[in-house]
Amino acid sequence: MKRLIAVAALAAAVSTTPLWAQTEMPMGEALSMLETSVKRELNSIGLGDVDVMLLTLSQLAEIQGTISESSISETDKRRQIMAAVQR
Protein backbone atom coordinates (compact mmCIF):
# COMPACT_ATOMS: atom_id res chain seq x y z
CA MET A 1 0.00 0.00 0.00
CA LYS A 2 2.85 2.41 0.86
CA ARG A 3 4.47 1.64 -2.47
CA LEU A 4 1.23 2.39 -4.31
CA ILE A 5 0.95 5.76 -2.56
CA ALA A 6 4.58 6.59 -3.38
CA VAL A 7 4.08 5.69 -7.04
CA ALA A 8 0.87 7.75 -7.18
CA ALA A 9 2.61 10.74 -5.60
CA LEU A 10 5.50 10.50 -8.05
CA ALA A 11 3.12 10.23 -11.01
CA ALA A 12 1.19 13.29 -9.80
CA ALA A 13 4.39 15.32 -9.40
CA VAL A 14 5.67 14.39 -12.85
CA SER A 15 2.33 15.02 -14.55
CA THR A 16 2.10 18.57 -13.14
CA THR A 17 5.51 19.57 -14.54
CA PRO A 18 5.26 20.56 -18.22
CA LEU A 19 7.06 18.11 -20.49
CA TRP A 20 9.09 20.87 -22.19
CA ALA A 21 10.45 21.92 -18.79
CA GLN A 22 11.70 18.40 -18.17
CA THR A 23 13.53 17.76 -21.42
CA GLU A 24 14.47 20.90 -23.35
CA MET A 25 17.17 23.48 -22.89
CA PRO A 26 16.46 27.19 -23.33
CA MET A 27 16.36 28.36 -26.96
CA GLY A 28 19.25 30.76 -26.44
CA GLU A 29 21.47 27.98 -25.13
CA ALA A 30 20.57 25.70 -28.04
CA LEU A 31 21.29 28.47 -30.54
CA SER A 32 24.63 29.20 -28.89
CA MET A 33 25.60 25.52 -29.11
CA LEU A 34 24.61 25.44 -32.79
CA GLU A 35 26.64 28.59 -33.53
CA THR A 36 29.67 27.15 -31.72
CA SER A 37 29.44 23.89 -33.64
CA VAL A 38 29.11 25.66 -36.99
CA LYS A 39 31.96 28.07 -36.18
CA ARG A 40 34.25 25.14 -35.31
CA GLU A 41 33.40 23.42 -38.61
CA LEU A 42 33.90 26.62 -40.62
CA ASN A 43 37.33 27.05 -39.01
CA SER A 44 38.27 23.48 -39.86
CA ILE A 45 37.50 23.95 -43.56
CA GLY A 46 39.21 27.32 -43.87
CA LEU A 47 36.18 29.59 -43.58
CA GLY A 48 37.03 30.98 -40.16
CA ASP A 49 36.39 34.55 -41.29
CA VAL A 50 32.63 33.91 -41.53
CA ASP A 51 30.72 35.57 -38.67
CA VAL A 52 28.19 32.94 -37.55
CA MET A 53 26.24 35.63 -35.70
CA LEU A 54 25.22 37.03 -39.10
CA LEU A 55 23.89 33.69 -40.37
CA THR A 56 20.19 32.91 -40.16
CA LEU A 57 18.89 29.97 -38.19
CA SER A 58 18.07 28.32 -41.52
CA GLN A 59 21.67 28.71 -42.70
CA LEU A 60 23.03 27.38 -39.41
CA ALA A 61 20.71 24.36 -39.59
CA GLU A 62 21.67 23.68 -43.21
CA ILE A 63 25.37 23.84 -42.38
CA GLN A 64 24.90 21.58 -39.34
CA GLY A 65 22.99 19.09 -41.50
CA THR A 66 25.79 19.10 -44.05
CA ILE A 67 28.37 18.58 -41.31
CA SER A 68 26.43 15.56 -40.04
CA GLU A 69 26.05 13.98 -43.47
CA SER A 70 28.43 11.04 -43.75
CA SER A 71 27.60 9.95 -47.30
CA ILE A 72 29.17 12.92 -49.10
CA SER A 73 32.82 13.74 -49.69
CA GLU A 74 34.66 16.48 -47.80
CA THR A 75 34.91 18.47 -51.04
CA ASP A 76 31.15 18.33 -51.54
CA LYS A 77 30.57 19.22 -47.88
CA ARG A 78 32.77 22.29 -48.26
CA ARG A 79 30.95 23.29 -51.45
CA GLN A 80 27.53 22.92 -49.82
CA ILE A 81 28.61 24.81 -46.72
CA MET A 82 30.02 27.66 -48.82
CA ALA A 83 26.73 27.82 -50.75
CA ALA A 84 24.74 27.99 -47.51
CA VAL A 85 26.94 30.80 -46.19
CA GLN A 86 26.50 32.81 -49.39
CA ARG A 87 22.68 32.65 -49.32
Side-chain angles (χ1 to χ4, degrees):
M1 183 66 170
K2 287 182 182 180
R3 186 166 192 240
L4 179 59
I5 292 171
V7 170
L10 178 61
V14 170
S15 68
T16 59
T17 304
L19 182 58
W20 59 267
Q22 297 174 16
T23 59
E24 292 186 16
M25 68 178 71
M27 181 62 171
E29 188 176 330
L31 180 58
S32 178
M33 289 176 64
L34 179 59
E35 289 170 343
T36 300
S37 174
V38 168
K39 183 64 177 174
R40 192 176 0 200
E41 183 64 22
L42 291 174
N43 285 333
S44 75
I45 63 170
L47 296 174
D49 59 332
V50 174
D51 185 357
V52 295
M53 300 297 284
L54 299 177
L55 298 176
T56 66
L57 182 56
S58 177
Q59 287 171 302
L60 291 168
E62 184 177 349
I63 292 167
Q64 185 64 36
T66 302
I67 293 167
S68 306
E69 184 61 50
S70 61
S71 65
I72 59 175
S73 70
E74 292 302 313
T75 303
D76 287 339
K77 279 186 184 184
R78 180 179 167 81
R79 191 173 313 129
Q80 288 180 15
I81 289 170
M82 287 174 53
V85 167
Q86 293 171 352
R87 285 193 190 105

